[in-house]
Amino acid sequence: MVYQGNRITVTMLEDGIANMQYNAENESVNKFDAETNKQFGEAVSALEKADNVKGLIVTSAKGVFIAGADITEFVGSFKKSESEIKDWVVHVNDAFNRFEDLPFPKVAAINGAAMGGGCEMTLVCEYRVMSDKAIIGLPETQLGIFPGFGGTVRSTRIIGIDNALELIATGSPKKALAALKLGLVDATVPADDLQDAAIDLVKKCISGELDWKAKREEKLAPVKLNQLEQAMAFNSAKGAIFAKANPKQYPAPALAIEAIEKHVNLPRDKAIEVEAAGFAKAAKTPQAESLVGLFLNDQLVKKLAKQHSKLAHEINEAAVLGAGIMGGGIAYQAASKGLPIIMKDIKSEQLDLGMGEASKLLGKMVDRGKMTPAKMGETLSRIRPTLNYGDFAETDIVIEAVVENPNVKRAVLKEVEGLVKDDCILASNTSTISITFLAEALERPENFVGMHFFNPVHRMPLVEVIRGEKSSEEAIATTVALASKMGKVPVVVNDCPGFLVNRVLFPYFGAFDLLLKQGADFAHVDKVMEKFGWPMGPAYLIDVVGLDTGVHGAAVMADGFPDRMKPDYKGAIQHLYDNERLGQKNGIGFYKYEMDKRGKPKKVADEATYELLKATTDSEKQTFDDQAIIDRTMIAFCNETVRCLEDNIVSTPSEADMAMIMGVGFPPFRGGPCRYIDQMGLDNYLALCEKYAHLGKAYEAPQKIRDMAAAGETFTQQRNSQSLLG
């Protein structure tokens, strides 16, 4: 035994070959946390003193090779000063450099995911052999940072500047064959042959058959490209990368490029220092704080879903009532995850539409090479279209997805309740109608919940699971389990008009309507909010949602929350709807829609919209700068999010933030409405609310904000305490 720890061991195998194995005790995966970093340094020291080692392989005893750094430690680490973060990264890199400099060849045997720090661990080896089932990548930019354990330095020297920039900027992992083609690994083999292949590679190095010292030297020296070639590589990469990621919204790729440009002509040790300085700069950006927080929120939400699922009934078969686009999307999602599902409708044309939707989505996967035609046929066979209830006797859960009409829904739910087994769960895919109200028509209201999918079902990750007054924990648990089984992220909320997401979204539309009434240009508002980070501005969003849907939802919200969601004027959305403008549904809303070359609706300006809106605009128009537009719309949005926390509609700031990001596209780099308030500072946010309070109740700060500001509290503190309790 060369070294033994509870994260890393180094043992001798045969013929002077050592095995450094990562196997974190009591952990599901290996990761570079503080203890692992410490033990890695100790293991390197032991290897430096060992005189019987001729070569070494790096292996993992887990299904994952190394998942990367321990992101939970980032929160504390990133609160340090920029210089302290740089010093920490340089210190960690010292062990990586010493490992690389050991006087014998090293081969990484990559058996599973080697991500972030795990990938960087493989790069300090002279050779990398990869299981055909493994993946490898540098996803750090998705957390608002970039590789800091030598990843930007070694990757540019191993696979070239252009390939390294693409790998780092996109953060997308590579499968074995793609990694081999890129030169990121040297060989791929079946999983069962991995260790033997790694040992064989080490033996070839020891015998002199392979020049491992030359392989190492490539990583220690500057990049072997002249200035012109470097300039061409950087310029082409910048154009492609910045077209996909706005540097002001997502600065990490730009900071990575900046660091690489500075260090490509430097030897390893000096290049590592440049990388560390750039890493520290990225770590101190608000985007890094938001995106790291987003990752941790995602983990917490999934952990809560597992806790909710503990009381779930087994789900072997589901059913959806109502075909069409939504029903077909739900059926597709279930079938694609291996769950048999019945799709019931009263019209054969609707069943054809639903099956057509599922076929279209699966066909696209076949076209992209992500599914074989045989697999598509197998998936479609899990969907059973029917015009009757004959097969419902053994169904475990039924999702009602008929028209958004309370009377129709109550009738359909009452009918199906009498045809299913007593413990079958009924779930309504409603976006606005009270679950408690719908339950009044049922004999077993304890078996009834809301299950709100977002459109399009296959793209939107969120599912709201709504608890009515009489919904049982078993019903909630089973619905949460179903959502997870379907590949969705469930968030449990309590019943109220609009539930969580739509309740928060409609004050945002209300703020938009008020801006238009007072003279704002809807196209300008869209541009401002898209620049802020939304995937689409409010005018474009309501066109996509449908103005008819918006008007219906607004009426529900006005009844539920008249103090802040019932305007005393006729707004632009209502007026356009009254003039038979439904948005993309009929080709005209705020914008006109034409089909592009790919057959997708493309928005174009429509001067007639401005003529129509004159009827809803004040005679004395106001002008608004970009910040005023942002402040007014975001105050209404954020205030209602906080009120949902006050009213216990949603339990935690983490769930609220994740729901807004996954449900309506709140800018991820801003971390969600609660983190947005935190980053602004509660006192500053409170002052902003007071500035606009004259506009109405929607702009007045909730009592929770006032109390938190007075106590010096933040949502981040609440988040951390909830995480510790969990």
Side-chain angles (χ1 to χ4, degrees):
M1 181 70 69
V2 179
Y3 175 81
Q4 183 164 8
N6 62 0
R7 300 285 199 281
I8 299 172
T9 58
V10 182
T11 56
M12 298 304 298
L13 297 176
E14 56 179 272
D15 302 327
I17 298 174
N19 178 13
M20 174 183 276
Q21 185 172 84
Y22 284 80
N23 187 15
E25 291 181 8
N26 304 317
E27 298 286 346
S28 58
V29 297
N30 297 315
K31 54 192 174 185
F32 279 112
D33 54 15
E35 181 58 28
T36 302
N37 285 330
K38 174 178 171 290
Q39 290 187 22
F40 179 54
E42 293 171 352
V44 172
S45 296
L47 284 163
E48 287 171 333
K49 296 172 185 175
D51 56 9
N52 60 334
V53 179
K54 297 178 182 178
L56 178 142
I57 63 171
V58 180
T59 65
S60 164
K62 307 283 188 187
V64 167
F65 179 71
I66 302 172
D70 185 348
I71 296 169
T72 61
E73 294 182 353
F74 284 3
V75 175
S77 298
F78 290 3
K79 287 181 180 177
K80 296 176 181 177
S81 69
E82 198 170 311
S83 62
E84 287 175 316
I85 295 172
K86 179 190 173 184
D87 290 344
W88 165 65
V89 176
V90 168
H91 174 71
V92 173
N93 269 292
D94 176 64
F96 277 76
N97 294 347
R98 286 166 48 217
F99 179 84
E100 188 169 45
D101 293 340
L102 288 168
F104 45 77
K106 300 166 293 295
V107 176
I110 307 165
N111 65 310
M115 305 301 293
C119 175
E120 290 171 298
M121 179 68 235
T122 74
L123 299 182
V124 294
C125 297
E126 283 72 41
Y127 291 93
R128 289 155 294 285
V129 61
M130 187 173 181
S131 160
D132 55 7
K133 305 297 184 186
I135 58 171
I136 188 169
L138 295 167
E140 287 88 344
T141 53
Q142 295 175 5
L143 296 173
I145 52 177
F146 61 83
F149 294 171
T152 70
V153 175
R154 295 183 178 92
S155 64
T156 50
R157 287 145 177 82
I158 292 171
I159 61 175
I161 292 172
D162 50 353
N163 289 329
L165 288 175
E166 188 271 338
L167 185 72
I168 292 164
T170 64
S172 299
K174 301 291 182 183
K175 293 182 179 179
L177 288 178
L180 180 64
K181 184 178 179 181
L182 203 60
L184 193 59
V185 299
D186 302 284
T188 66
V189 297
D192 291 343
D193 300 333
L194 183 63
Q195 183 157 320
D196 289 342
I199 291 171
D200 182 62
L201 211 51
V202 171
K203 286 180 177 178
K204 287 179 178 177
C205 292
I206 294 170
S207 69
E209 190 176 339
L210 294 174
D211 189 353
W212 62 273
K213 290 183 179 179
K215 290 277 285 186
R216 176 188 295 181
E217 187 58 35
E218 287 180 0
K219 297 183 291 174
L220 302 180
V223 171
K224 291 179 174 60
L225 282 180
N226 63 42
Q227 292 299 313
L228 178 59
E229 290 171 325
Q230 288 184 26
M232 290 174 63
F234 280 112
N235 288 337
S236 62
K238 285 178 183 177
I241 291 166
F242 294 161
K244 293 180 180 179
N246 183 333
K248 291 183 179 179
Q249 296 177 352
Y250 295 93
L255 291 172
I257 293 172
E258 180 184 310
I260 292 169
E261 280 187 297
K262 289 178 180 177
H263 72 50
V264 289
N265 296 309
L266 298 175
R268 182 197 67 188
D269 290 359
K270 290 188 177 180
I272 291 287
E273 288 190 12
V274 172
E275 179 188 86
F279 177 93
K281 185 176 180 181
K284 293 301 291 182
T285 62
Q287 290 88 346
E289 180 189 37
S290 294
L291 292 170
V292 168
L294 191 61
F295 176 88
L296 297 175
N297 285 353
D298 182 61
Q299 297 301 301
L300 177 61
V301 168
K302 288 174 180 174
K303 180 181 177 182
L304 291 171
K306 284 184 180 179
Q307 291 175 354
H308 278 299
S309 298
K310 288 178 180 178
L311 297 174
H313 298 168
E314 191 173 350
I315 306 167
N316 296 310
E317 182 181 75
V320 59
L321 298 177
I325 300 299
M326 178 60 78
I330 292 171
Y332 156 82
Q333 192 65 35
S336 66
K337 298 300 179 181
L339 179 66
I341 186 165
I342 302 168
M343 184 167 61
K344 158 78 169 65
D345 205 284
I346 58 173
K347 295 180 180 178
S348 58
E349 312 91 80
Q350 287 298 103
L351 290 176
D352 291 342
L353 185 60
M355 290 302 294
E357 176 70 7
S359 297
K360 181 182 75 174
L361 295 171
L362 290 166
K364 287 180 179 178
M365 293 185 70
V366 172
D367 292 342
R368 293 196 297 267
K370 293 187 175 182
M371 178 179 282
T372 64
K375 184 71 174 175
M376 174 179 170
E378 181 186 335
T379 303
L380 277 175
S381 70
R382 296 193 189 102
I383 305 173
R384 284 189 288 156
T386 181
L387 293 170
N388 58 64
Y389 287 110
D391 296 326
F392 273 60
E394 297 304 317
T395 297
D396 301 300
I397 185 165
V398 177
I399 305 165
E400 168 272 303
V402 301
V403 63
E404 189 77 351
N405 179 304
N407 293 328
V408 174
K409 285 185 180 290
R410 281 170 67 122
V412 168
L413 288 164
K414 185 176 180 61
E415 181 181 29
V416 75
E417 185 186 35
L419 300 168
V420 296
K421 56 188 179 181
D422 288 350
D423 63 350
C424 178
I425 306 302
L426 301 184
S428 177
N429 177 47
T430 175
S431 57
T432 56
I433 303 169
S434 167
I435 298 304
T436 301
F437 171 74
L438 291 176
E440 291 174 1
L442 300 175
E443 295 293 327
R444 299 186 294 274
E446 67 277 8
N447 286 353
F448 179 61
V449 300
M451 191 179 191
H452 179 207
F453 290 86
F454 291 78
N455 200 18
V457 174
H458 67 286
R459 285 186 184 168
M460 302 299 282
L462 180 68
V463 168
E464 285 181 305
V465 176
I466 305 108
R467 180 188 280 110
E469 286 182 9
K470 295 185 178 180
S471 301
S472 70
E473 288 305 316
E474 290 83 0
I476 294 294
T478 304
T479 310
V480 166
L482 174 63
S484 298
K485 194 168 187 174
M486 292 174 71
K488 297 301 180 183
V489 181
V491 171
V492 177
V493 300
N494 286 318
D495 193 19
C496 72
F499 317 130
L500 172 60
V501 173
N502 281 332
R503 173 173 162 178
V504 171
L505 184 60
F506 275 90
Y508 174 76
F509 282 140
F512 166 65
D513 245 347
L514 183 58
L515 282 165
L516 300 195
K517 177 181 182 292
Q518 295 177 340
D521 175 356
F522 69 87
H524 178 228
V525 174
D526 271 5
K527 287 178 182 176
V528 170
M529 298 315 293
E530 286 165 11
K531 188 176 179 182
F532 178 79
W534 285 92
M536 56 186 75
Y540 189 19
L541 177 59
I542 196 67
D543 272 3
V544 171
V545 169
L547 278 78
D548 53 342
T549 302
V551 167
H552 166 76
V556 173
M557 298 300 111
D559 287 343
F561 310 102
D563 62 335
R564 57 189 182 277
M565 298 193 208
K566 189 172 185 177
D568 58 359
Y569 60 90
K570 184 178 182 179
I573 296 171
Q574 178 72 54
H575 186 60
L576 292 181
Y577 169 71
D578 290 345
N579 281 270
E580 299 181 351
R581 288 177 170 232
L582 306 182
Q584 285 188 355
K585 290 179 181 179
N586 69 345
I588 191 160
F590 280 94
Y591 301 95
K592 285 193 299 187
Y593 292 89
E594 300 172 352
M595 291 299 175
D596 64 15
K597 294 178 181 178
R598 295 178 297 174
K600 293 185 177 180
K602 175 185 175 184
K603 67 181 173 73
V604 294
D606 179 27
E607 287 303 317
T609 304
Y610 291 99
E611 286 299 316
L612 279 171
L613 293 184
K614 286 179 180 178
T616 61
T617 305
D618 292 344
S619 56
E620 293 185 11
K621 291 184 179 181
Q622 300 179 35
T623 57
F624 302 95
D625 62 27
D626 291 1
Q627 192 58 48
I629 290 170
I630 292 168
D631 290 343
R632 287 177 54 156
T633 52
M634 293 317 300
I635 287 171
F637 188 98
C638 294
N639 278 353
E640 200 60 37
T641 304
V642 176
R643 289 191 177 100
C644 285
L645 285 164
E646 276 184 333
D647 296 345
N648 196 34
I649 301 304
V650 62
S651 298
T652 67
S654 296
E655 290 169 286
D657 280 350
M658 289 302 294
M660 296 310 146
I661 288 167
M662 294 186 296
V664 288
F666 191 95
F669 67 90
R670 298 189 185 277
C674 296
R675 191 170 295 278
Y676 178 71
I677 294 171
D678 274 355
Q679 289 190 340
M680 184 183 296
L682 266 74
D683 288 337
N684 293 332
Y685 182 80
L686 186 57
L688 204 58
C689 290
E690 290 172 352
K691 176 181 177 180
Y692 289 107
H694 66 281
L695 295 174
K697 184 76 174 178
Y699 302 85
E700 294 177 11
Q703 190 60 44
K704 184 176 179 68
I705 290 287
R706 298 180 186 279
D707 293 344
M708 288 174 64
E713 294 179 355
T714 65
F715 289 108
T716 300
Q717 289 170 341
Q718 293 182 7
R719 212 185 306 262
N720 291 342
S721 64
Q722 285 157 349
S723 180
L724 289 171
L725 288 171

